[in-house]
Amino acid sequence: MDYKNYFKTIKLQNDFYPQTADRVFLESKLDSTSVPYKERVSGATDYVIATGANVNYGAKAESGRYQCATWLRSSTADLNSSSKPGKSSVFIVDNRGYVEFDFSNKDDLGIVPSFELDLKAIKDNTFGDLKTEQRGMYYHTIEFDKFTYPQTKVPDKTALKLEKAFITRNLIKTGKSYIGSLNEKCEFDRNDEFYFEGKKYVRVILTKDKKFNDGSSYKKGEGVWFEVETVKFLVRNWDALPKDINPQGNSTATGLRLRSEDALISGIPFDFGMTSNNWKNSLIRLYLNGEMAKANSLLNDKGKFGFNMTKTYDFRGLGFIDELYDTNDRIKTKDKLDEQKQDVNNSKVIRFSNNGISINNDLMTISEQIRFYINNGQPIMLHGPSGVGKSRRVKEIDENCITLALRNGILPEEIVGKTAYNDKSGEAKWIAPTWYDHLCNICREEPNKKHVLFIDEITNVRASEQSLVYNIVLNRTIDGQNGVLPENCVVVAAGNSIDESSAAYSMVEPLYRRFYAHIELNVDVKEFLMWGSEKREDGKTKIHPLVSAFIAKEGEEVLYSVYNEDSPFVQHVIDPRGWEQISDIIYDNNEVVKLELLSNKIGLSMAGKFVKFAQAGLLSPRQLLTGNFEEGELPKEENEVIALILRLRHCDDKREARKFIEKYYGDEKLSFYDSLSFIKEENEREIGG
């Protein structure tokens, strides 16, 4: 069944939704007052807050989101007769769950759409797989994987990646957009949907200062990112549903009656200043139902409403259902994907301006950024939690780097050397520290290659110890006169922030300012999988494929856990470096997974989960390329797909690997697979002089 034909044909007019002949609509006053208080109050999604909804920051709805007031129509809004003021009035459910009468054309209220789905369409999987959940003692919710809408503000780390990709035009537009706020031209902004790393996102420029459900605040004019997620709907006739949806249902329902649990839309005034709150001719109704009309056609024949003709908006071809329903064909259809990829590629072309400056919009990896500064001899600092790979990245670029590890109480002569006096001549002689002699020898032996002086744990010592390396970073000498660094030496420092480690200290300002760049290293599953799929000198991958597949399935929470200094043994601490150690344990034990060996590092609970995962087994490259699997065994989640493709990175038959990826995962993942050869070349490149 085609969803477009479905929503064109269905029109409701029954006892449950009195006098309603719309496909999508607002609930009536009767609908709202006949349900428990908890169901009347709506939560505000972050996207709704961004597009205009006012919220009650002192109270939250059942969903855990801030409450917001929402629109209602009257219970007697008959669309088949001329509506009269009062009879077709509009109501508001305020943040306390009460129903109030209102004649205004507010645009700061939330919209909570309602509709009914035919049970046959559900059986035919028209709206995708469904998932139900009981919400306390009041009601049940249901989700369909093809009903999606922008809702939650993304975490700051994800937002930073998205913003970088957006600025450099490395995002793919899906062709879909969502209604936004009414702008100064009396037109509604449209917020484009973007595809990035297996998920979909929307970017909104705030028109007012806003505070979101996680407590974070943003200023007017800032761009904020929201994830497109499946929508939770309240089920209004749960007890009457068939048993394949509700095992205790009595199967008397003819349809599934739904209302979104949280407000999904805001920023749309009920009308544009008409003198009556007429549901039939309201902007909200036109938008919800995708009516083929322009706003100026809302005037009745006699022009009674005093409509402002400058305020026009074209709703033709636009409707809530088209925004809600996620067909996914914008991403998977080959012709459309080729067109999108061409647009993205065009945006990456180097563009020369009149003064000869060029712009390249290809995103740089963290390793590429570090390599750039090292190649150019510029001092940098790496920030990030312990175990995230700061020292590992440096050593992969320069395996002969000299490490200077700071610690509280370190003797000054270990860093700056010491002065010895000749009793006979009375002359003083500076004696270099050991690290300096090693550094000079290495740089002298390879004068055409950059070598790194790696100052580790620089923020894990007090200001007095930090001061010992001032001149090294500031003036490239040990004490201002003695110990000049070789020309082919590059200073790289690393440390934790106070938020990341209880042992960390603040860095003094002059030292912080001296570095050419401060690079933040975050926990990133995809990046870890990419690095882990590279080969070691012995021919094995850096991370065992079983470990990579487990982390891909479980996500960031498994890749990195926070250290609890009060009870470190209650929940074992793990990080990317720790998983590398787990991988080594498996390799060293001839690829035999032993619970005891793993639990000593990651704890019994996590080790048990890993062993259970290992028992299920992995599809080998040979199985994948020979078709020795059931299609249902193939992963669908983004990180798991990446891990699977990376298992094919080093297979001998690249042609068969490409056929497999193209068949089951499409052109986008095929391009990713093809790019791995270029990544390999980059990793093997020596540091320039």
Side-chain angles (χ1 to χ4, degrees):
M1 181 180 292
D2 177 34
Y3 90 95
K4 290 187 176 180
N5 291 329
Y6 173 84
F7 279 103
K8 282 179 181 177
T9 57
I10 185 171
K11 287 195 175 184
L12 306 176
Q13 190 162 353
N14 53 49
D15 294 335
F16 192 83
Y17 297 124
Q19 305 294 325
T20 297
D22 291 329
R23 293 181 284 274
V24 185
F25 50 90
L26 304 181
E27 287 194 332
S28 70
K29 178 180 178 182
L30 180 61
D31 296 332
S32 183
T33 54
S34 64
V35 297
Y37 158 76
K38 291 284 188 180
E39 290 190 43
R40 298 184 210 171
V41 178
S42 298
T45 62
D46 290 328
Y47 184 76
V48 159
I49 295 174
T51 55
N54 281 333
V55 298
N56 179 0
Y57 290 111
K60 291 193 173 183
E62 282 283 284
S63 64
R65 287 168 165 155
Y66 292 129
Q67 293 179 5
C68 69
T70 56
W71 285 109
L72 290 178
R73 59 179 174 79
S74 77
S75 60
T76 56
D78 188 344
L79 300 182
N80 297 317
S81 63
S82 59
S83 300
K84 297 178 181 179
K87 184 178 180 182
S88 59
S89 303
V90 174
F91 295 83
I92 294 171
V93 179
D94 68 9
N95 298 331
R96 299 164 296 172
Y98 299 114
V99 177
E100 296 182 346
F101 181 77
D102 195 276
F103 267 118
S104 73
N105 63 342
K106 292 181 178 180
D107 59 4
D108 59 357
L109 302 179
I111 295 178
V112 186
S114 299
F115 49 79
E116 182 172 311
L117 299 179
D118 191 302
L119 291 175
K120 183 178 184 301
I122 296 171
K123 185 177 180 180
D124 291 345
N125 207 37
T126 301
F127 315 110
D129 296 332
L130 62 84
K131 180 173 69 175
T132 62
E133 179 185 358
Q134 184 172 351
R135 301 302 294 263
M137 59 183 294
Y138 291 100
Y139 53 84
H140 288 75
T141 62
I142 195 167
E143 297 173 68
F144 294 92
D145 61 10
K146 291 186 179 179
F147 281 157
T148 61
Y149 211 81
Q151 296 177 69
T152 307
K153 182 183 72 66
V154 303
D156 291 341
K157 290 180 181 179
T158 305
L160 181 60
K161 291 172 63 177
L162 285 165
E163 194 67 15
K164 285 182 179 179
F166 176 78
I167 292 171
T168 55
R169 299 186 182 182
N170 279 273
L171 294 175
I172 295 177
K173 287 185 179 181
T174 67
K176 192 175 184 182
S177 63
Y178 300 86
I179 197 165
S181 303
L182 191 68
N183 60 34
E184 296 176 354
K185 297 179 181 179
C186 295
E187 297 173 347
F188 288 98
D189 292 326
R190 301 294 302 175
N191 299 312
D192 290 324
E193 181 183 74
F194 296 94
Y195 180 79
F196 184 70
E197 295 187 349
K199 294 184 178 180
K200 296 175 184 178
Y201 302 93
V202 171
R203 184 177 187 266
V204 177
I205 301 295
L206 298 183
T207 57
K208 295 179 182 178
D209 295 353
K210 292 291 181 180
K211 177 182 176 182
F212 296 100
N213 283 292
D214 63 358
S216 61
S217 298
Y218 290 80
K219 297 292 185 182
K220 175 182 177 181
E222 288 189 280
V224 183
W225 288 92
F226 304 88
E227 184 175 345
V228 178
E229 305 163 280
T230 56
V231 177
K232 279 188 169 65
F233 294 97
L234 304 183
V235 183
R236 291 307 205 199
N237 57 341
W238 176 256
D239 292 337
L241 294 180
K243 296 186 182 301
D244 56 346
I245 300 177
N246 173 17
Q248 285 77 45
N250 58 34
S251 302
T252 59
T254 58
L256 181 63
R257 295 163 178 166
L258 303 176
R259 192 212 81 176
S260 65
E261 182 180 30
D262 294 317
L264 298 179
I265 311 151
S266 188
I268 304 177
F270 185 79
D271 58 50
F272 274 149
M274 295 183 284
T275 59
S276 169
N277 286 2
N278 186 295
W279 166 248
K280 180 179 180 180
N281 291 336
S282 66
L283 289 175
I284 291 176
R285 178 178 171 270
L286 285 180
Y287 166 70
L288 290 177
N289 289 279
E291 294 288 341
M292 304 291 282
K294 279 193 174 183
N296 57 12
S297 68
L298 298 181
L299 285 170
N300 69 357
D301 294 338
K302 297 182 180 179
K304 289 182 178 179
F305 296 121
F307 192 82
N308 185 339
M309 295 298 290
T310 63
K311 298 179 178 180
T312 60
Y313 184 66
D314 194 346
F315 279 84
R316 291 176 294 184
L318 171 71
F320 169 69
I321 286 296
D322 288 322
E323 295 181 4
L324 178 71
Y325 195 89
D326 181 13
T327 62
N328 257 342
D329 58 6
R330 295 177 175 87
I331 296 300
K332 293 184 177 178
T333 301
K334 187 178 186 303
D335 292 341
K336 290 185 177 180
L337 181 60
D338 288 342
E339 183 179 340
Q340 292 161 358
K341 287 169 63 178
Q342 185 62 43
D343 289 342
V344 173
N345 290 336
N346 287 341
S347 73
K348 293 181 180 180
V349 173
I350 297 177
R351 303 188 303 278
F352 291 91
S353 60
N354 292 334
N355 59 6
I357 295 175
S358 62
I359 300 173
N360 189 320
N361 281 326
D362 285 323
L363 286 174
M364 295 181 73
T365 65
I366 293 293
S367 295
E368 287 172 339
Q369 295 170 47
I370 295 172
R371 190 180 295 274
F372 168 83
Y373 293 112
I374 290 177
N375 282 345
N376 289 281
Q378 297 163 346
I380 60 172
M381 179 166 175
L382 308 180
H383 300 259
S386 298
V388 78
K390 298 185 291 294
S391 58
R392 182 255 298 167
R393 291 174 189 273
V394 173
K395 290 176 182 177
E396 285 181 342
I397 294 175
D398 179 16
E399 61 182 7
N400 295 317
C401 72
I402 299 298
T403 299
L404 187 56
L406 301 183
R407 67 182 188 276
N408 283 322
I410 192 171
L411 296 175
E413 53 262 35
E414 295 181 59
I415 304 298
V416 300
K418 58 185 179 180
T419 302
Y421 290 91
N422 188 314
D423 293 336
K424 294 182 179 180
S425 65
E427 295 180 350
K429 181 181 179 182
W430 176 70
I431 300 176
T434 303
W435 67 263
Y436 180 72
D437 290 335
H438 289 328
L439 176 67
C440 291
N441 289 336
I442 290 173
C443 289
R444 190 183 304 114
E445 290 172 2
E446 296 181 294
N448 296 322
K449 192 175 181 181
K450 291 288 193 300
H451 283 287
V452 174
L453 172 60
F454 183 51
I455 305 176
D456 201 7
E457 310 289 358
I458 194 170
T459 55
N460 283 16
V461 296
R462 297 180 293 260
S464 57
E465 278 77 15
Q466 290 181 25
S467 66
L468 296 174
V469 297
Y470 273 7
N471 279 306
I472 296 175
V473 179
L474 293 171
N475 304 314
R476 292 180 58 83
T477 65
I478 288 180
D479 63 7
Q481 294 179 337
N482 298 307
V484 177
L485 298 184
E487 289 187 5
N488 59 328
C489 167
V490 186
V491 176
V492 177
N496 313 123
S497 71
I498 295 176
D499 295 335
E500 295 162 341
S501 172
S502 58
Y505 297 84
S506 297
M507 179 179 283
V508 290
E509 182 180 355
L511 188 58
Y512 184 92
R513 289 182 181 274
R514 177 60 180 86
F515 292 105
Y516 269 60
H518 291 269
I519 301 176
E520 186 76 26
L521 275 66
N522 297 313
V523 178
D524 189 306
V525 172
K526 183 178 178 181
E527 190 173 34
F528 179 80
L529 296 176
M530 292 278 290
W531 170 78
S533 70
E534 296 171 4
K535 283 191 175 182
R536 310 187 307 190
E537 291 183 0
D538 60 4
K540 298 176 180 178
T541 55
K542 292 178 178 177
I543 299 296
H544 194 282
L546 185 63
V547 175
S548 293
F550 178 72
I551 291 171
K553 182 178 187 299
E554 298 297 330
E556 187 174 305
E557 291 182 0
V558 166
L559 181 57
Y560 185 88
S561 62
V562 177
Y563 176 71
N564 185 342
E565 61 182 357
D566 296 326
S567 54
F569 294 106
V570 174
Q571 181 178 353
H572 279 56
V573 180
I574 195 65
D575 51 43
R577 180 170 52 205
W579 284 111
E580 185 179 0
Q581 294 164 351
I582 289 292
S583 177
D584 290 340
I585 290 172
I586 295 174
Y587 279 134
D588 293 342
N589 200 39
N590 297 318
E591 297 192 279
V592 177
V593 176
K594 292 292 292 182
L595 177 67
E596 294 84 356
L597 296 177
L598 301 187
S599 62
N600 293 331
K601 178 64 182 180
I602 58 178
L604 187 58
S605 176
M606 183 68 73
K609 195 172 186 178
F610 184 89
V611 170
K612 185 177 180 181
F613 176 82
Q615 287 172 340
L618 284 181
L619 290 172
S620 68
R622 180 176 178 81
Q623 286 177 289
L624 295 171
L625 300 190
T626 59
N628 186 19
F629 60 88
E630 298 292 332
E631 190 168 339
E633 296 179 88
L634 296 177
K636 297 181 176 61
E637 295 298 323
E638 175 74 5
N639 285 332
E640 293 181 81
V641 173
I642 293 297
L644 181 146
I645 292 174
L646 289 172
R647 290 207 293 278
L648 300 174
R649 182 176 188 176
H650 305 293
C651 71
D652 295 330
D653 197 337
K654 295 288 193 295
R655 178 178 296 179
E656 288 302 315
R658 296 184 83 258
K659 286 181 181 179
F660 166 81
I661 295 169
E662 184 176 30
K663 178 179 179 180
Y664 292 103
Y665 293 108
D667 285 1
E668 183 200 0
K669 292 298 184 287
L670 182 61
S671 296
F672 167 72
Y673 178 76
D674 289 340
S675 72
L676 294 175
S677 59
F678 296 103
I679 295 171
K680 182 174 184 292
E681 291 173 5
E682 172 66 19
N683 288 338
E684 292 175 348
R685 190 179 65 189
E686 288 189 353
I687 304 173

